[in-house]
Amino acid sequence: MKVICIGRNYADHAKELNNPLPEKPVVFMKPSTALLVNNKPFFLPDFSREIHHELEVVLKICRNGRHIEPRFAHKYFSQVGLGIDFTARDVQAACKKKGHPWEIAKAFDDSAPLGKFYSKEELELEDLRFELYKNGNPVQLGNTRDMIFSFAEIISYVSRYFRLLQGDLIFTGTPAGVGPVQRGDVLEAFLYLKDGRRESVLRTKVL
Ligand code: MG
């Protein structure tokens, strides 16, 4: 399976990192070894002094396909959850400066904690609120209505390049409020269901 990630999909986040708004989705990937499941702790890697949290809505692909038209994209995912796209911001800045690929800053081991999934019928996909708390304080308050590229546009775009397979994951970009984590921090992510209930979806301790 593969993990496809979209960068700069929320205007406020692009702004906070001084990036221009993209005309097309910015796409990168993480390998399956980046996934961190079952609320396991995240160990800070030794190659970075600046690991940032990026909370993102994650789509789970339920059907194989390529060259998917936006109007059919909804048929290709049935479950939605939350994940964190941990980023070694200092390493990424060095890569960007040299014009090098980002992988070592984005795709390293355990860089993608993944929470519980919900059936998309339980969620208001176009007005989906999601939140990240650090040590009990809100740091990222997101809503999918602020996305630059919709789920359908993302699926259509990435499937022109990469054949989507059942079980693949798509991280759909982070809202504003990214920031550093340090040893001892506890991150907890919440998702709002259609009926208004707030669910704790993901929790990880930084060690
Ligand atoms: Mg991200």
Side-chain angles (χ1 to χ4, degrees):
M1 60 84 63
K2 56 190 172 292
V3 182
I4 296 169
C5 304
I6 305 301
R8 302 176 194 167
N9 200 26
Y10 288 78
D12 288 351
H13 169 62
K15 225 182 283 171
E16 75 183 345
L17 294 185
N18 293 317
N19 286 316
L21 292 190
E23 284 163 20
K24 292 172 183 170
V26 175
V27 182
F28 60 96
M29 287 206 246
K30 299 193 187 224
S32 58
T33 43
L35 294 175
L36 182 69
V37 296
N38 298 328
N39 290 340
K40 284 190 197 147
F42 170 75
F43 288 89
L44 288 168
D46 60 6
F47 52 77
S48 172
R49 307 296 301 264
E50 193 187 13
I51 298 289
H52 275 196
H53 56 74
E54 296 190 359
L55 180 65
E56 312 202 0
V57 174
V58 181
L59 312 179
K60 191 185 273 187
I61 297 299
C62 62
R63 180 172 166 176
N64 299 357
R66 61 198 293 242
H67 297 289
I68 300 161
E69 286 183 47
R71 66 195 165 110
F72 296 128
H74 65 277
K75 297 178 185 232
Y76 289 82
F77 70 100
S78 56
Q79 291 192 299
V80 176
L82 295 177
I84 296 172
D85 166 22
F86 273 131
T87 303
R89 196 69 73 201
D90 48 353
V91 177
Q92 186 191 34
C95 292
K96 280 162 94 172
K97 205 167 160 189
K98 291 183 184 156
H100 287 177
W102 280 349
E103 270 79 1
I104 58 170
K106 283 284 198 181
F108 55 88
D109 287 347
D110 302 336
S111 61
L114 187 66
K116 270 184 280 184
F117 279 86
Y118 293 82
S119 151
K120 67 181 178 188
E121 282 72 36
E122 290 181 271
L123 307 169
E124 200 66 71
L125 289 183
E126 272 146 40
D127 186 16
L128 180 62
R129 288 172 65 193
F130 58 104
E131 303 173 338
L132 185 70
Y133 281 66
K134 185 168 87 173
N135 306 324
N137 302 309
V139 285
Q140 291 194 271
L141 303 175
N143 189 311
T144 55
R145 67 176 176 221
D146 300 322
M147 289 194 300
I148 297 170
F149 300 104
S150 67
F151 295 151
E153 288 168 325
I154 291 169
I155 286 173
S156 175
Y157 184 79
V158 299
S159 71
R160 288 164 56 190
Y161 299 90
F162 311 112
R163 180 181 284 106
L164 295 181
L165 300 178
Q166 205 174 349
D168 286 348
L169 300 171
I170 303 181
F171 279 59
T172 57
T174 195
V178 304
V181 296
Q182 48 185 351
R183 192 161 289 123
D185 284 346
V186 175
L187 298 175
E188 187 168 16
F190 299 91
L191 187 63
Y192 286 80
L193 304 185
K194 226 180 216 173
D195 63 14
R197 263 185 301 149
R198 188 176 84 147
E199 292 275 301
S200 172
V201 173
L202 166 62
R203 193 174 188 280
T204 187
K205 182 159 187 181
V206 177
L207 294 176

